[in-house]
Amino acid sequence: MKKIATIIFLIIYSNCYSNYTTPGTGVVWNLDSLVTFSAGNVTFASGNYLVNDTITIAASDTVKILDNTTMKFGTGVFIDINGVLIINPPDSATITAQDTSLKYIGLKFEDLSDGSLLKRLIFEYGNSIRMLNCDILIDSCIIRYNTFVSSASSGAISFFGSNSTVSNCKIFRNRRSGLISGLTAAFPSSPKILNNLIYENNVTNENYPQINLGNSSSNPLTIKGNTIIGLFNMAGAIGVSSLLGLTPNAIIENNVLKHNRYGIAILGNNANVYINNNIIDSNNIQGVPSLG
């Protein structure tokens, strides 16, 4: 499965080349270290760190961002995390675009990045945070105003072969779904989506729910304690589906779902889904079920 995933990501990012890779010697660096060693790929100006081209964190290396700071990414830039990225400031750190009309691609966590953490991060005006065959924690973050970049992820947070946890976040006004996972057997994912405020996603008003999850792993995916509020009449609240005859396996519990196109939609043969104690209120803002 990892070989297939590698081929897919090489195709997707064939036009995005890493200009700097950390040395792979077990270093623990911060942003100032990248300014020193990356030969201009990360610079510092006017109180901001500018990520001017794609950076790869090598498998044995760690980059820690523990201060309140702002990182501005150039167009088409992403950080490819094969090692560990820890963002955990006392108040908040921000990843935004150098030019908000020209998007960056975002953060891509790969197989060996399980120790990574995003906490109190504002992630905006890019594309997505993606997890491929790894499990990380995203907690107390703000994920907003992210868009779809051609051939990259359509969700602001994307799980592919990932059982990551997203908790206590605000996820809003992203172009398509706030959270997505793969629909096929290649990348089964069972994320835990806990106690988040998710609202007004699918700004382009296409046929996408705000949470759009696919094939689960052996453990159930969990959507629990969230508040999901709609605005755009083509956007449902929660969709869980699988292709190729696979069985969706999910727990959907203690959520508040209001003013979406629909509350909960399950698609897949022999679905194994536990739905309990949700408040499902006025999820009929389009009013034409046959169009869904």
Side-chain angles (χ1 to χ4, degrees), residues 256-275:
V256 177
L257 315 176
K258 290 188 175 183
H259 306 301
N260 298 281
R261 184 188 190 191
Y262 53 80
I264 301 171
I266 309 298
L267 177 63
N269 295 328
N270 303 313
N272 180 20
V273 182
Y274 177 71
I275 301 173

Side-chain angles (χ1 to χ4, degrees), residues 81-142:
I81 302 104
N82 295 286
V84 173
L85 174 64
I86 295 175
I87 300 180
N88 189 13
D91 300 308
S92 69
T94 299
I95 294 177
T96 190
Q98 293 181 18
D99 182 341
T100 57
S101 67
L102 299 171
K103 309 297 184 179
Y104 61 94
I105 293 178
L107 303 175
K108 178 162 71 78
F109 295 87
E110 301 202 56
D111 304 82
L112 300 175
S113 56
D114 284 346
S116 296
L117 166 69
L118 303 178
K119 193 159 187 175
R120 291 181 288 276
L121 171 66
I122 299 171
F123 182 89
E124 63 181 15
Y125 297 112
N127 181 51
S128 67
I129 299 168
R130 284 153 292 141
M131 290 144 278
L132 174 65
N133 294 330
C134 65
D135 305 334
I136 74 169
L137 173 63
I138 303 173
D139 182 74
S140 303
C141 295
I142 294 174

Side-chain angles (χ1 to χ4, degrees), residues 20 22 28-45 47-51 62-71:
Y20 182 73
T22 64
V28 179
W29 281 1
N30 58 19
L31 289 173
D32 291 330
S33 306
L34 289 174
V35 170
T36 300
F37 294 110
S38 70
N41 290 287
V42 181
T43 57
F44 184 79
N48 301 311
Y49 291 92
L50 306 180
V51 183
T62 298
V63 173
K64 293 184 177 182
I65 301 169
L66 305 179
D67 299 318
N68 300 330
T69 192
T70 297
M71 294 156 277

